[in-house]
């Protein structure tokens, strides 16, 4: 049986119609995948071209409501309030679901073609890449549409359909435990086969280091801390100081575009995997059209890079943290670091319209380092954790800035930092209540009061800075059961609870209509989009109508 690429991929990836309807008649523009080169070329499409970064960022504690006097996009409020997103756009759950399942289906086509060619050793590299692409897409969707992994509840939480064969539709979500087992199986099958030999542009594919960084993050979320440490070390080495990002270089660059271009450059050794996505996320952080819901100056001043009481300093002047000097924004309502700035592909030069997109640093040496540090803390290996945290300080802080000097973190210094810091209250009413320290209610694991909690608070703060605007902060909030609030202009704040079911976004209505079980939100009254809601949906076609 020959393998063809065409509409069959769309049919079995979206789960919205019968696969047989497409497979009975192959499209005329099909391409037969029967050579090693064609398999490698096919895998270019096995990476999702839509991103959940923006929707996850708006769900996190990095965003606040600046007031109804500021302009908003019609779906920002839904993301911010943890409600179903009715608008269909690049950032909507509908397109995230579609693009990720398309990536899964493409990976399945590649795996089937490799099998049909006799599974030759020469295709071990592409086979590993296909397995990793499938696992990566499913893992990213689990972060969006599922609860955080909790071993005490994973057999009760809903998973996601996990297609593994071309032309075979899957509607059964199974459990989160089963989903993680399948992701784990794909990763473990891929790692012994990973190779960079077939990659023309390694940083845009699962090269060896990216594969192990992915495996490290997954196993951290999976509570497999020994494996997280082992795989992170394979990705970055025992002493990663030479491969961490040189933040000092950004201080010499001209501005936003130059910093962003350097940050996402394939030549940057810290970048392990770069993924492009059609997205307005780059524009949203600075555009006045998005200013109602944004990262306000108060959050930076109290919780992020300017936060008082941190060992590297505070504010803008007496602060050795490079990130404290890399803040931009046209107003206090929207302050940002230029690490994910919009690129724009012009499709109509006369009208100057086209497609905005981002280059997302999906995996980096800096984040892999913090994965390892967190795993060490959870294993109470504080000496090793402090060593990794000091590697992070070494490349993120200058030697001296004003009255501040670059610290050397010790157990005593970390303890004094957070013992002397107030917790942010679960419900924030004024900016002065904000601090980097949050109450922890870990989901399925424990963190002891005292040294272990203080060390975790430090790692989580570093991760919050490191992963800013990439949506990973919301995953940390879910994993650690951090209760936090979103202020609402003209109303009381709304609260996200530990284990809050709204952390699993509702799956698209089309998938529900096709038989996929929806997420249930209990008393939160956000169980899904009705047919009448769907009829009233506004559709944003951002590709050709978006003017630069």
């Amino acid at each position: 049986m020959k393998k063809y690429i065409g509409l069959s991929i769309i049919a079995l990836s979206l789960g919205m119609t019968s696969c047989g309807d497409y497979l009975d008649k192959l499209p005329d523009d099909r391409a037969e995948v029967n050579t090693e080169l064609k398999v490698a070329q096919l895998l270019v499409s096995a990476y999702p071209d839509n991103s959940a970064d923006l929707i996850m960022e708006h769900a996190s504690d990095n965003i606040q409501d600046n007031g109804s006097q500021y302009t908003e996009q019609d779906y920002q409020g839904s993301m911010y309030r943890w409600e179903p997103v009715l608008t269909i756009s690049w950032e909507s759950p509908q397109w995230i679901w579609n693009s990720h399942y398309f990536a899964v289906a493409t990976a399945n086509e590649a795996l089937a073609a490799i099998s049909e060619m006799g599974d030759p050793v020469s295709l071990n590299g592409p086979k590993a890449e296909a397995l990793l692409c499938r696992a990566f897409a499913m893992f990213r969707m689990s972060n969006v549409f599922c609860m955080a992994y909790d071993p005490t509840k994973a057999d009760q939480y809903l998973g996601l359909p996990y297609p593994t064969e071309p032309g075979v539709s899957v509607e059964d979500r199974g459990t989160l435990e089963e989903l993680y087992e399948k992701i784990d199986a794909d990763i473990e099958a891929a790692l012994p086969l990973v190779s960079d030999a077939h990659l023309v542009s390694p940083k845009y594919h699962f090269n060896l280091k990216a594969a192990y960084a992915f495996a490290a993050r997954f196993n951290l979320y999976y509570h497999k801390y020994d494996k997280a440490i082992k795989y992170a070390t394979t990705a970055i080495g025992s002493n990663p100081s030479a491969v961490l990002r040189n933040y000092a270089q950004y201080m010499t660059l001209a501005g936003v575009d130059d910093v962003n271009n350097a940050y996402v450059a394939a030549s940057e050794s810290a970048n392990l995997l770069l993924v492009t996505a059609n997205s307005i996320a780059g524009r949203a952080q600075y555009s006045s059209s998005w200013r109602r819901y944004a990262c306000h100056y108060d959050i930076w001043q109290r919780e992020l890079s300017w936060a008082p009481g941190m060992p590297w300093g505070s504010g803008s002047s007496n602060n050795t943290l490079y990130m404290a000097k890399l803040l931009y924004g046209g107003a206090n309502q929207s302050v940002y670091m230029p690490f994910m700035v919009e690129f724009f592909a012009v499709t109509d030069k006369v009208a100057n319209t086209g497609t905005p997109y981002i280059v997302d640093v999906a995996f980096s040496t800096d984040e892999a380092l913090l994965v390892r540090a967190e795993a060490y803390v959870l294993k109470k290996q504080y000496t090793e954790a402090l060593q990794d945290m000091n590697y992070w300080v070494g490349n993120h802080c200058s030697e001296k800035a004003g009255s501040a000097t670059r610290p050397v973190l010790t157990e005593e210094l970390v303890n004094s930092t957070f013992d002397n810091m107030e917790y942010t209250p679960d419900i924030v009413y004024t900016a002065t209540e904000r601090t980097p320290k949050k109450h922890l209610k870990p989901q399925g694991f424990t963190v002891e009061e005292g040294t272990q909690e203080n060390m975790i608070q430090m790692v989580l703060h570093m991760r919050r800075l490191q992963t800013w605007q990439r949506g990973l902060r919301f995953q940390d909030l879910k994993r650690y059961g951090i209760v936090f609030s979103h202020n609402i202009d003209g109303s009381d704040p709304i609260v996200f609870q530990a284990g809050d079911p709204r952390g699993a976004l509702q799956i698209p209505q089309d998938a529900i209509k096709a038989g996929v079980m929806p997420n249930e939100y209990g008393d939160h009254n956000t169980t899904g989009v009705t047919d009448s809601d769907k009829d009233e949906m506004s559709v944003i076609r951002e590709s050709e109508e978006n003017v630069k």
Side-chain angles (χ1 to χ4, degrees):
M1 178 181 175
K2 295 179 179 179
K3 295 298 171 192
Y4 297 92
I5 306 306
L7 292 179
S8 59
I9 284 183
I10 299 175
L12 57 98
S13 65
L14 304 190
M16 291 188 278
T17 187
S18 168
C19 293
D21 292 344
Y22 289 96
L23 296 176
D24 288 344
K25 294 182 180 180
L26 292 168
D28 291 336
D29 61 350
R30 63 191 180 275
E32 186 177 344
V33 183
N34 56 5
T35 68
E36 295 182 8
L37 176 60
K38 288 182 179 180
V39 170
Q41 292 172 336
L42 175 61
L43 287 172
V44 172
S45 300
Y47 296 84
D49 59 6
N50 288 90
S51 169
D53 289 354
L54 184 64
I55 196 170
M56 293 290 96
E57 195 72 6
H58 271 65
S60 79
D61 56 354
N62 287 338
I63 304 293
Q64 75 171 39
D65 183 352
N66 293 315
S68 58
Q69 70 270 34
Y70 296 101
T71 304
E72 64 174 291
Q73 300 302 307
D74 55 1
Y75 52 99
Q76 269 188 291
S78 298
M79 296 188 292
Y80 182 76
R81 291 176 173 83
W82 314 297
E83 296 172 349
V85 177
L86 304 186
T87 302
I88 298 176
S89 72
W90 284 321
E91 324 298 340
S92 68
Q94 177 78 65
W95 281 26
I96 294 167
W97 177 279
N98 291 358
S99 68
H100 283 69
Y101 270 117
F102 186 89
V104 170
T106 304
N108 286 340
E109 291 282 355
L111 289 167
I114 291 170
S115 178
E116 193 165 286
M117 283 186 273
D119 210 3
V121 174
S122 59
L123 280 174
N124 278 354
K127 181 177 181 179
E129 185 181 2
L131 289 167
L132 290 165
C133 284
R134 183 168 69 189
F136 176 59
M138 296 305 305
F139 179 58
R140 292 219 305 187
M141 282 202 296
S142 75
N143 292 334
V144 177
F145 298 111
C146 298
M147 301 292 287
Y149 183 83
D150 177 344
T152 69
K153 298 178 181 177
D155 61 347
Q156 305 164 40
Y157 288 152
L158 281 173
L160 289 170
Y162 204 111
T164 57
E165 299 178 47
V168 178
S169 179
V170 179
E171 283 82 32
D172 182 16
R173 291 184 63 169
T175 67
L176 186 61
E177 184 66 56
E178 292 169 334
L179 175 60
Y180 265 63
E181 287 173 353
K182 291 172 182 176
I183 295 171
D184 185 48
D186 276 349
I187 292 173
E188 292 299 322
L191 291 181
L193 307 177
V194 172
S195 170
D196 295 358
H198 71 289
L199 301 177
V200 177
S201 302
K203 292 296 181 73
Y204 286 88
H205 294 266
F206 268 112
N207 56 77
L208 188 144
K209 291 182 179 180
Y212 279 93
F214 169 35
R217 186 193 298 171
F218 169 75
N219 278 283
L220 178 69
Y221 286 17
Y222 201 15
H223 304 187
K224 310 292 186 183
Y225 305 129
D226 286 329
K227 289 174 69 174
I229 292 167
K230 175 183 176 182
Y231 292 151
T233 301
T234 302
I236 64 176
S238 299
N239 181 348
S241 54
V243 296
L244 297 178
R245 191 179 302 275
N246 174 20
Y247 280 90
Q249 67 176 311
Y250 302 130
M251 309 309 297
T252 66
L253 300 179
V256 168
D257 289 338
D258 286 349
V259 172
N260 179 65
N261 290 341
Y263 193 89
V264 301
S267 58
E268 169 59 63
S269 60
N271 293 336
L272 302 181
L273 178 65
L274 302 170
V275 178
T276 61
N278 297 325
S279 176
I280 208 74
R283 186 182 306 183
Q285 63 185 333
Y286 57 80
S287 171
S288 60
S289 298
W290 290 74
R291 197 156 287 166
R292 175 167 180 178
Y293 303 100
C295 191
H296 192 278
Y297 167 84
D298 286 340
I299 299 178
W300 286 101
Q301 184 183 37
R302 301 286 179 175
E303 294 192 45
L304 296 174
S305 61
W306 286 13
M310 299 307 293
W312 39 73
S314 62
S316 61
S317 300
N318 300 313
N319 194 336
T320 62
L321 195 66
Y322 289 120
M323 288 178 173
K325 311 291 196 300
L326 289 167
L327 299 183
Y328 293 79
N332 285 346
Q333 291 73 32
S334 184
V335 180
Y336 66 98
M337 292 185 292
F339 298 155
M340 186 189 284
V341 176
E342 178 179 302
F343 293 94
F344 197 82
V346 176
T347 55
D348 187 329
K349 294 183 180 179
V350 176
N352 196 28
T353 58
T355 304
Y357 68 97
I358 58 172
V359 178
D360 187 2
V361 182
F363 295 100
S364 70
T365 56
D366 299 284
E367 194 260 339
L369 174 70
L370 295 180
V371 165
R372 188 170 70 184
E374 182 181 339
Y376 276 137
V377 174
L378 292 170
K379 286 176 59 64
K380 299 184 182 180
Q381 295 180 223
Y382 301 141
T383 299
E384 293 83 353
L386 284 166
Q387 184 177 49
D388 279 350
M389 285 190 273
N390 278 309
Y391 285 136
W392 191 90
V393 169
N395 76 307
H396 282 75
C397 297
S398 60
E399 290 186 12
K400 185 174 178 60
S403 61
T405 57
R406 183 166 60 205
V408 176
L409 299 182
T410 63
E411 190 172 319
E412 293 73 22
L413 180 55
V414 173
N415 279 332
S416 65
T417 296
F418 288 99
D419 284 344
N420 293 319
M421 185 181 294
E422 296 292 329
Y423 286 98
T424 299
D426 293 348
I427 302 178
V428 172
Y429 290 100
T430 64
T432 55
E433 296 177 306
R434 297 181 180 276
T435 77
K437 186 177 179 180
K438 305 291 179 82
H439 289 288
L440 308 180
K441 298 179 182 178
Q443 300 298 286
F445 61 105
T446 59
V447 173
E448 292 181 358
E449 292 183 6
T451 297
Q452 189 176 40
E453 182 188 340
N454 290 334
M455 297 279 275
I456 286 294
Q457 294 282 0
M458 180 63 80
V459 172
L460 288 177
H461 184 63
M462 291 173 168
R463 282 184 57 83
R464 189 176 182 185
L465 294 172
Q466 189 66 57
T467 64
W468 184 80
Q469 207 193 359
R470 289 183 159 78
L472 293 184
R473 172 61 177 177
F474 191 52
Q475 310 312 320
D476 291 349
L477 294 169
K478 288 166 61 175
R479 292 189 301 123
Y480 278 89
I482 295 174
V483 181
F484 67 99
S485 64
H486 278 171
N487 69 301
I488 303 294
D489 184 33
S491 184
D492 292 332
I494 56 176
V495 181
F496 190 89
Q497 302 287 352
D500 199 312
R502 294 172 298 174
L505 273 62
Q506 188 55 272
I507 68 173
Q509 184 69 7
D510 283 339
I512 295 172
K513 290 178 67 177
V516 182
M517 185 178 294
N519 290 326
E520 297 294 340
Y521 295 144
D523 295 336
H524 291 291
N525 193 29
T526 54
T527 55
V529 183
T530 65
D531 288 340
S532 60
D533 289 330
K534 191 179 176 186
D535 291 339
E536 297 175 0
M537 282 180 169
S538 63
V539 179
I540 297 179
R541 301 193 182 280
E542 291 167 307
S543 56
E544 290 298 325
E545 298 174 7
N546 218 314
V547 180
K548 185 175 182 181

